[in-house]
């Protein structure tokens, strides 16, 4: 069943899958809570390492754009210097990928601990709290920054017609090695394919992609 949603003048074309959405939410909440409880020691260890590295804040909190263009607070372990936003203005013309994403292999904003966290994707762990809150899911398109969405076309905006996630086809297919248009195409593929089985397949493939570190920088 299709339902069109209009938010801030943008029409999102949504194929409703209510039973799938219920299963997805129950799985997300249950697994995220269990993970945070069992691996609390890992969260604590990373927090201590960040503090020892440069004494700055442990978490990086930013606004991200979620389903139907709604903004939410997005949590990550801080992997960049505290003055990263100021530095960005001086390097934004050195983007090494095409489209709305900014990627730079030797980004001067990234700290020593941050490079390790990014390589292992452990900077993403606080997003488990976003999953618990229902902002994102384990599987879904990457949630973009507001400054990225400003330049989205109508085609690009449709990737926001489903809930975002920690991992999706983009993350298991090369990550930063794939340009923005390629990411959008992969998100469209996910929107079309999404199901409990598809989500499980992506989740199973994600650890191997993290270990390989393809496109992680």
């Amino acid at each position: 069943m299709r339902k069109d949603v209009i938010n801030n003048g943008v029409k999102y074309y949504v194929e409703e899958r209510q039973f799938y959405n219920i299963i997805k939410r129950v799985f997300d909440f249950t697994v995220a809570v269990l993970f945070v409880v069992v691996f609390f020691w890992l969260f604590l260890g990373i927090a201590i390492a960040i503090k020892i590295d440069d004494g700055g804040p442990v978490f990086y909190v930013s606004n991200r754009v979620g389903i139907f263009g709604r903004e939410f607070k997005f949590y990550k372990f801080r992997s960049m210097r505290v003055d990263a936003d100021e530095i960005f203005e001086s390097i934004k013309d050195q983007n090494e990928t095409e489209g709305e994403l900014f990627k730079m292999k030797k980004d001067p904003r990234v700290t020593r601990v941050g490079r390790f966290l990014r390589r292992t994707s452990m900077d993403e762990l606080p997003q488990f709290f976003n999953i618990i809150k229902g902002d994102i899911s384990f599987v879904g398109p990457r949630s973009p920054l507001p400054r990225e969405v400003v330049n989205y076309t109508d085609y690009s905006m449709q990737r926001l017609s489903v809930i975002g996630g920690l991992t999706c086809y983009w993350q298991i297919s090369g990550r930063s090695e794939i340009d923005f248009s390629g990411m959008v195409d992969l998100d469209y593929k996910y929107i079309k394919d999404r199901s409990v089985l598809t989500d499980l397949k992506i989740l199973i493939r994600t650890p191997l992609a993290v270990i390989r570190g393809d496109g992680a920088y």
Side-chain angles (χ1 to χ4, degrees), residues 85-135:
D85 290 338
E86 289 78 9
I87 296 175
F88 175 73
E89 292 302 316
S90 65
I91 64 171
K92 62 184 179 181
D93 60 343
Q94 300 179 45
N95 195 1
E96 295 176 2
T97 188
E98 297 181 359
E100 312 313 324
L101 297 176
F102 180 87
K103 293 292 180 180
M104 191 175 175
K105 286 186 177 180
K106 295 184 178 180
D107 194 325
R109 299 172 298 167
V110 181
T111 65
R112 291 174 299 174
V113 170
R115 293 194 185 284
F116 171 77
L117 294 178
R118 288 185 167 209
R119 179 66 59 180
T120 58
S121 293
M122 283 197 275
D123 60 320
E124 312 279 356
L125 290 179
Q127 290 169 48
F128 278 70
F129 296 108
N130 284 119
I131 293 175
I132 293 170
K133 289 172 57 184
D135 297 325

Side-chain angles (χ1 to χ4, degrees), residues 27-37 128-129 131-132 138:
F27 174 86
D28 286 342
F29 182 82
T30 303
V31 175
V33 169
L34 287 174
F35 186 94
V36 170
V37 171
F128 278 70
F129 296 108
I131 293 175
I132 293 170
F138 274 108

Side-chain angles (χ1 to χ4, degrees), residues 6-214:
I6 300 177
N7 188 38
N8 291 328
V10 179
K11 180 180 282 189
Y12 300 90
Y13 305 96
V14 185
E15 182 183 347
E16 285 197 305
R17 304 182 183 183
Q18 293 183 350
F19 183 65
Y20 159 70
N21 289 337
I22 292 171
I23 294 177
K24 187 180 183 76
R25 179 59 187 147
V26 171
F27 174 86
D28 286 342
F29 182 82
T30 303
V31 175
V33 169
L34 287 174
F35 186 94
V36 170
V37 171
V38 173
F39 290 98
F40 175 76
W41 58 270
L42 180 59
F43 284 76
L44 182 60
I46 293 173
I48 293 172
I50 293 172
K51 272 295 183 183
I52 291 175
D53 190 26
D54 67 1
V58 169
F59 298 105
Y60 175 72
V61 182
S62 63
N63 287 340
R64 291 294 176 101
V65 182
I67 187 169
F68 305 140
R70 299 165 185 160
E71 291 193 19
F72 63 94
K73 296 296 182 183
F74 185 82
Y75 310 119
K76 296 181 73 172
F77 279 122
R78 184 175 59 85
S79 61
M80 290 189 177
R81 292 169 44 172
V82 293
D83 57 351
D85 290 338
E86 289 78 9
I87 296 175
F88 175 73
E89 292 302 316
S90 65
I91 64 171
K92 62 184 179 181
D93 60 343
Q94 300 179 45
N95 195 1
E96 295 176 2
T97 188
E98 297 181 359
E100 312 313 324
L101 297 176
F102 180 87
K103 293 292 180 180
M104 191 175 175
K105 286 186 177 180
K106 295 184 178 180
D107 194 325
R109 299 172 298 167
V110 181
T111 65
R112 291 174 299 174
V113 170
R115 293 194 185 284
F116 171 77
L117 294 178
R118 288 185 167 209
R119 179 66 59 180
T120 58
S121 293
M122 283 197 275
D123 60 320
E124 312 279 356
L125 290 179
Q127 290 169 48
F128 278 70
F129 296 108
N130 284 119
I131 293 175
I132 293 170
K133 289 172 57 184
D135 297 325
I136 61 174
S137 172
F138 274 108
V139 183
R142 169 188 174 274
S143 298
L145 293 163
R147 63 176 167 79
E148 296 170 349
V149 176
V150 167
N151 297 315
Y152 272 19
T153 63
D154 290 342
Y155 179 73
S156 303
M157 289 297 291
Q158 296 309 309
R159 64 186 298 272
L160 303 178
S161 63
V162 297
I163 191 168
L166 275 179
T167 184
C168 203
Y169 284 136
W170 179 73
Q171 283 85 350
I172 63 175
S173 303
R175 298 164 74 178
S176 297
E177 302 299 331
I178 300 172
D179 63 15
F180 178 72
S181 62
M183 183 184 73
V184 173
D185 289 340
L186 286 172
D187 288 339
Y188 262 83
K189 173 177 169 55
Y190 172 73
I191 291 170
K192 180 181 178 181
D193 294 349
R194 71 189 192 283
S195 67
V196 172
L197 183 58
T198 296
D199 286 1
L200 287 175
K201 287 180 178 178
I202 292 173
L203 284 172
I204 290 171
R205 290 179 59 186
T206 296
L208 180 59
V210 171
I211 292 171
R212 289 201 309 261
D214 296 339

